């Protein structure tokens, strides 16, 4: 029977696939992938619905950001706790609980009669997403332990994680244009129902035998620290960087995270054990997810603006424009993990993916008001899909490779935290830089429609250049950190040495 590997107590069953055989493991992958898609696309699907929701519920432009920020705050600050809860209670029960809670929160948001209820629903979505995302990835980690099967599974999962944002744009556009903005939330009920049914049938109940203790001081420190960091960068989008509300939260967040890191060296049962983060390949993978998360979310945001405001695309057409990138990302993810990673290792793959993504961003800076989709937008999008597919699939694979079952949840949560916090920071920085570029362009010029349109192009180009810089930094960091050669995974469940 394919279950989570590792030491176990007599008579204790662990959460894994019920039946033996590859077919059931691949059904588990389908369930996990669907849950992950629901969580990832929810970060962008609501963006398309915001104008309609604002008109319907009557909230101000200043309050609009809270629809996005409420989700990001709860999700980003509670991911590590959610991962450790999965290690303590059992991944099946946490996975199913996360699905039910996410569905209920989505239903509340879809039926929200007021702005306040919608914000509350988004915060609840983030809370249950913080349970669901690390449980899903840790289930994948403990289900697929054979290198070739693991490579295929993580290729597919990495493609879902990377492409979910683009799928959210397309689905949000279709639902908003042809139904109603509320269906951008109601659609999660369908995803959750299918995933819950599959998880209930395929995953074995039971708590882990080798349970770690709960590090309460560490949990409080890191949750508060991540909350302050995400909130500080969110405030930077609507307030100046010199605002005490912005830098005050950022400084507090940095101090709390530093205190958390210090405490982890002394805690009897650390929330994030050093054996998880001090491995060079894992450290490189966490940083790759952090850096590429910032660059990727910036691309979706500003290229969406460009297609709709500069070229006049509808929401549905905008979503469709990203589909070729998604196809390239899936192809690149599967090819990378099935063919290249097992032969060459991560050292040439992830830096190359970062370099391709950086080149694609530089290519996008040439877009103007006369650009066409086929000749000017599509080629860099295809390159971006290839680069991101190589980065996400490889980084997610190595970030959880060789982690024992007792740490699988928190290692998986660290992957999700890296991407989420990176996305929050990247979006805030790029928004600020783009706004400044547009303002500077308008200085000394008459505010005609053509000048305003050119100012927008300047803001997009600035964001693309900085995104290219993010990916270039990722190239250097991952080239330095990843060990050369094909990966040699440590047997799951055995004590793992810390490899610096």
């Amino acid at each position: 029977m394919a279950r989570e590997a590792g030491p176990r107590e007599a008579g204790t069953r662990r959460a894994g696939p019920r039946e033996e055989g590859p077919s059931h493991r691949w059904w588990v992958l389908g369930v996990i992938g669907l849950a992950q898609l629901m969580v990832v696309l929810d970060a962008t699907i609501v963006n398309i619905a915001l104008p309609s929701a604002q008109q319907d519920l009557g909230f101000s432009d200043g309050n609009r950001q809270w629809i996005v920020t409420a989700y990001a705050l709860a999700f980003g600050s509670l991911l590590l706790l959610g991962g450790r809860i999965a290690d303590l209670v059992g991944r099946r029960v946490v996975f199913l609980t996360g699905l039910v809670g996410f569905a209920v929160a989505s239903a509340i948001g879809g039926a929200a009669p007021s702005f306040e209820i919608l914000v509350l629903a988004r915060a609840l979505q983030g809370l249950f997403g913080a349970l669901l995302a690390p449980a899903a990835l840790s289930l994948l980690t403990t289900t697929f332990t054979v290198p070739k099967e693991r490579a295929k599974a993580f290729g597919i999962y990495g493609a879902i994680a990377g492409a979910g944002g683009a799928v959210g744009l397309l689905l949000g556009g279709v639902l908003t244009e042809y139904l109603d903005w509320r269906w951008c939330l109601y659609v999660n009920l369908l995803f959750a129902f299918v995933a819950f049914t599959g998880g209930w049938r395929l995953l074995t109940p039971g708590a882990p035998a080798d349970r770690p203790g709960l590090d309460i001081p560490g949990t409080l420190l890191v949750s508060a620290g991540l909350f302050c960091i995400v909130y500080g960068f969110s405030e930077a989008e609507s307030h100046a960087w010199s605002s005490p509300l912005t830098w005050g939260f950022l400084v507090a967040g940095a101090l709390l995270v530093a205190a958390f890191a210090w405490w982890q060296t002394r805690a009897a049962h650390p929330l994030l054990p050093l054996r998880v983060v001090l491995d060079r390949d894992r450290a490189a993978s966490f940083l790759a997810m952090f850096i590429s998360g910032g660059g990727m979310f910036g691309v979706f945001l500003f290229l969406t603006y460009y297609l709709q405001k500069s070229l006049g695309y509808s929401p549905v057409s905008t979503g469709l424009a990203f589909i070729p990138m998604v196809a390239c990302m899936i192809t690149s993810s599967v090819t990378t993990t099935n063919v290249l990673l097992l032969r060459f290792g991560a050292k040439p793959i992830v830096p190359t993916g970062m370099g391709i993504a950086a080149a694609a961003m530089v290519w996008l800076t040439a877009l103007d008001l006369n650009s066409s989709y086929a000749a000017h937008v599509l080629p860099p999008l295809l390159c971006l899909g290839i680069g991101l597919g190589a980065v996400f699939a490889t980084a997610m694979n190595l970030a959880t490779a060789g982690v024992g079952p007792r740490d699988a949840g928190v290692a998986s949560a660290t992957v999700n935290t890296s991407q989420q916090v990176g996305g929050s920071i990247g979006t805030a920085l790029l928004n600020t830089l783009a706004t400044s570029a547009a303002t500077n362009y308008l200085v000394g010029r008459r505010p005609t429609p053509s000048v305003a349109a050119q100012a927008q192009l300047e803001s997009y180009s600035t964001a693309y250049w900085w995104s290219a810089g993010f990916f270039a930094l990722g190239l250097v960091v991952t080239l330095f950190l990843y060990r050369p050669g094909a990966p040699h995974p440590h047997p799951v469940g055995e004590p793992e040495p810390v490899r610096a």
Side-chain angles (χ1 to χ4, degrees), residues 44-52 168-170 172-173 176 184 304 308 315 318:
T44 56
I45 191 173
V46 175
N47 291 350
I48 297 292
L50 272 179
S52 299
L169 292 174
L170 173 59
T176 302
C184 291
T304 298
Q308 293 192 15
T318 301

Side-chain angles (χ1 to χ4, degrees), residues 353-379:
M354 291 284 189
I356 293 173
M361 298 311 305
V362 173
W363 199 344
L364 286 172
T365 62
L367 296 177
D368 58 30
L369 296 176
N370 298 315
S371 298
S372 66
Y373 176 75
H376 304 100
V377 178
L378 181 60

Side-chain angles (χ1 to χ4, degrees), residues 198-211:
W200 183 270
R201 292 177 59 85
L202 293 169
L203 300 176
T204 302
D210 189 18
R211 299 188 188 190

Side-chain angles (χ1 to χ4, degrees), residues 78 133 264 460:
L78 297 175
Q264 295 309 281
Y460 305 151

Side-chain angles (χ1 to χ4, degrees), residues 47-396:
N47 291 350
I48 297 292
L50 272 179
S52 299
Q54 184 176 3
Q55 183 177 2
D56 190 12
L57 299 180
F59 51 87
S60 66
D61 289 343
N63 286 332
R64 184 172 56 189
Q65 66 162 330
W66 283 104
I67 307 301
V68 176
T69 302
Y71 180 86
L73 284 174
F75 187 63
S77 61
L78 297 175
L79 271 167
L80 284 176
L81 175 59
R84 192 47 110 194
I85 289 174
D87 292 331
L88 284 165
V89 178
R91 291 167 196 107
R92 178 183 186 263
V93 66
V94 172
F95 180 77
L96 296 178
T97 300
L99 283 170
V100 172
F102 202 94
V104 171
S106 299
I108 294 172
S114 66
F115 166 75
E116 292 77 11
I117 298 298
L118 181 57
V119 170
L120 174 63
R122 289 289 288 164
L124 287 174
Q125 278 187 313
L127 186 155
F128 285 105
L131 289 175
L132 181 58
L137 183 53
S138 59
L139 279 168
L140 187 71
T141 299
T142 53
T143 297
F144 292 91
T145 56
V146 178
K148 287 187 176 181
E149 287 191 351
R150 180 183 175 87
K152 293 178 183 178
F154 272 87
I156 296 170
Y157 188 85
I160 292 172
V167 174
L169 292 174
L170 173 59
L171 189 58
V174 171
L175 294 173
T176 302
E177 190 164 328
Y178 295 109
L179 292 173
D180 185 78
W181 70 267
R182 296 179 184 274
W183 281 96
C184 291
L185 294 161
Y186 286 144
V187 71
N188 291 325
L189 299 177
L190 175 61
F191 287 133
F193 174 77
V194 175
F196 182 90
T197 302
W200 183 270
R201 292 177 59 85
L202 293 169
L203 300 176
T204 302
D210 189 18
R211 299 188 188 190
L214 180 59
D215 176 16
I216 294 177
T219 298
L220 295 175
L221 285 171
V222 75
S223 296
L226 291 173
F227 179 93
C228 289
I229 290 172
V230 174
Y231 183 81
F233 277 103
S234 298
E235 282 298 305
E237 295 184 54
S238 54
H239 296 81
W241 286 96
S242 58
S243 167
L245 199 61
T246 299
W247 63 258
F249 272 97
L250 291 177
V251 170
L255 292 175
L256 287 167
V257 170
F260 167 74
W262 169 82
W263 174 252
Q264 295 309 281
T265 64
R266 288 157 175 77
H269 302 286
L271 178 67
L272 183 58
L274 293 181
R275 60 180 175 269
V276 173
V277 295
L278 291 186
D279 179 271
R280 277 181 58 181
D281 285 343
R282 281 200 210 108
S285 297
F286 295 146
L287 287 172
M289 293 299 296
F290 175 82
I291 293 169
S292 57
M296 180 189 71
F297 283 111
V299 170
F300 288 154
L301 179 67
F302 291 100
L303 194 54
T304 298
Y305 288 163
Y306 169 75
L307 291 173
Q308 293 192 15
K309 294 186 177 182
S310 299
L311 299 188
Y313 281 31
S314 69
V316 174
S317 298
T318 301
L320 289 172
F322 284 98
I323 293 302
M325 186 194 79
V326 173
C328 277
M329 193 179 296
I330 293 172
T331 303
S332 175
S333 296
V334 174
T335 303
T336 296
T337 53
N338 282 287
V339 179
L340 301 179
L341 179 60
L342 297 177
R343 182 176 300 179
F344 302 109
K347 195 173 187 71
I349 295 174
V350 176
T352 300
M354 291 284 189
I356 293 173
M361 298 311 305
V362 173
W363 199 344
L364 286 172
T365 62
L367 296 177
D368 58 30
L369 296 176
N370 298 315
S371 298
S372 66
Y373 176 75
H376 304 100
V377 178
L378 181 60
L381 269 184
L382 296 178
C383 289
L384 190 64
I386 293 171
L388 289 178
V391 171
F392 277 114
T394 306
M396 283 192 166

